[in-house]
Amino acid sequence: YAPAGDGLAKLLFDRSDDARVLVHLDGGAQPREEALERQLQYRIERSSGRIEHSLFGAAREAGLSNVMVLKVAKVLGYDIDFAQDLRVGDTFNVVYEQVYRDGAMLRDGDVLAVSFINRGRRYVALRHVHPDGKVEYFDQDGRPTRKDFLRTPVDFTRISSRFSAARRHPILGRMRAHRGVDYAAPTGTPIYAAGDARVQFRGRQNGYGNTIILDHGQGHTTLYAHLSRFNGNVRAGGRVRQGDVIGYVGMTGLASGPHLHYEFRIKGQHRDPLTVTLPKPEPLNGPALDRFRRDTTAIAAQLDLLENMRSLAAQ
């Protein structure tokens, strides 16, 4: 704000979604800040869809934004590989929040509940807020949907080469074991840590090119190769959390095109990342389970209603 003929008197800017700051610039005096709260409104929305061609196409027809599609994929990404597993006929139901301010939609909020029928199998995730404020997703039995390892360490990509005892190397031209899975993706695509870990190695390894090896404890390690570059915050000996960006897809080393080469090892033995079986997380029990059931009953009922309505409409 600037009165006619005078210099700047006030400066207004958004500090966050629900707060603005008005800075008073009173001549030569010390600037004075005034916090202005802005009320947010949270509206619950519901959406259902059936995949005919693509997930994004089905979501668009159902009124879901691309941002919400990515949130759903993140919630269910431990059980469903959204790049490889989806099939025509798969269905989804989502209960979610939209955030409004001053009567206008500001952004999508959280997924509150989601069910996904993939290849005839039903997956469910319900949002639950713990007493300490931590947000976590559980199935209807109170078992966390979060697993120790992500299904895939890159988003919405395709498998260009599978785990194999013998395949013809695309550059060397000779038969050799392929002890990991290759995910083709554009150069620069973010690569995520598959689980909480210590960084065992970050550097260059012969044909692997730029490589990161993570030690997840209990004899579990994962390897990420052919990176174009590393996340500068990831250092050997440091710690990473599941889902942290550790580097970016490239084609360093012996690679015929940009892709991530991903390996999973248990006590030094290579395992197929697509089929390796790991223990399920323990479910809630006692008072924690009672609290979860009490807090999610209403939203689970909305999810059931959505599924029933879709089922009736299909008849």
Side-chain angles (χ1 to χ4, degrees):
Y1 303 95
D6 295 334
L8 184 65
K10 298 179 181 179
L11 178 65
L12 181 68
F13 66 91
D14 289 333
R15 173 173 286 169
S16 62
D17 288 346
D18 59 354
R20 275 183 168 175
V21 175
L22 180 62
V23 181
H24 298 268
L25 306 172
D26 302 322
Q30 183 74 17
R32 177 171 54 87
E33 289 189 4
E34 180 184 358
L36 306 174
E37 292 188 7
R38 309 183 74 185
Q39 193 68 34
L40 298 180
Q41 299 84 40
Y42 294 85
R43 301 182 187 179
I44 296 179
E45 300 291 341
R46 304 161 191 82
S47 187
S48 298
R50 182 179 189 274
I51 296 177
E52 300 292 348
H53 302 288
S54 72
L55 174 61
F56 283 100
R60 186 166 53 251
E61 291 183 7
L64 291 177
S65 68
N66 288 349
V67 170
M68 187 53 62
V69 172
L70 293 174
K71 289 187 176 187
V72 168
K74 185 175 182 180
V75 169
L76 294 176
Y78 299 95
D79 293 309
I80 303 173
D81 182 339
F82 281 84
Q84 314 293 330
D85 293 347
L86 300 189
R87 296 293 183 269
V88 171
D90 287 354
T91 60
F92 57 86
N93 302 276
V94 189
V95 183
Y96 61 101
E97 289 179 332
Q98 286 186 335
V99 183
Y100 282 74
R101 186 178 64 196
D102 300 331
M105 182 184 154
L106 183 64
R107 56 177 171 80
D108 284 314
D110 287 344
V111 175
L112 301 179
V114 57
S115 66
F116 207 107
I117 309 287
N118 173 235
R119 301 185 182 187
R121 183 174 179 182
R122 181 173 181 261
Y123 299 92
V124 173
L126 304 173
R127 181 181 182 271
H128 177 56
V129 182
H130 293 279
D132 62 1
K134 179 184 177 182
V135 175
E136 197 171 3
Y137 289 87
F138 297 84
D139 66 15
Q140 289 177 303
D141 296 324
R143 190 182 299 275
T145 59
R146 182 187 186 274
K147 309 297 193 300
D148 287 339
F149 294 91
L150 298 174
R151 279 288 305 275
T152 55
V154 281
D155 287 331
F156 293 97
T157 184
R158 67 179 179 85
I159 294 175
S160 55
S161 186
R162 293 178 178 269
F163 189 93
S164 173
R167 66 142 193 180
R168 186 173 297 279
H169 193 279
I171 293 179
L172 300 177
R174 61 175 181 264
M175 300 299 291
R176 61 188 296 185
H178 187 247
R179 308 230 180 249
V181 174
D182 290 350
Y183 293 98
T187 296
T189 300
I191 299 167
Y192 307 109
D196 296 350
R198 179 182 63 84
V199 181
Q200 180 178 310
F201 177 86
R202 194 202 89 156
R204 197 168 181 91
Q205 278 198 1
N206 300 322
Y208 282 146
N210 291 333
T211 301
I212 289 178
I213 300 176
L214 300 182
D215 182 353
H216 304 276
Q218 299 183 326
H220 295 78
T221 60
T222 52
L223 177 146
Y224 312 76
H226 306 308
L227 280 60
S228 59
R229 60 189 177 92
F230 304 107
N231 181 332
N233 294 324
V234 175
R235 302 287 183 182
R239 303 288 305 184
V240 293
R241 302 294 302 272
Q242 185 182 71
D244 285 352
V245 175
I246 57 174
Y248 303 88
V249 169
M251 52 183 296
T252 56
L254 293 178
S256 58
H259 71 279
L260 168 68
H261 175 78
Y262 175 60
E263 295 183 6
F264 194 102
R265 303 173 185 175
I266 300 179
K267 296 182 179 178
Q269 299 297 312
H270 288 84
R271 302 292 182 87
D272 185 345
L274 300 177
T275 61
V276 63
T277 301
L278 296 168
K280 291 183 178 180
E282 290 297 317
L284 296 171
N285 56 59
L289 180 59
D290 293 339
R291 188 184 308 110
F292 163 75
R293 286 174 172 165
R294 182 178 64 249
D295 292 349
T296 60
T297 295
I299 208 70
Q302 292 194 43
L303 193 63
D304 290 340
L305 179 62
L306 268 180
E307 290 185 321
N308 291 335
M309 291 173 62
R310 167 161 284 281
S311 178
L312 290 172
Q315 294 179 2

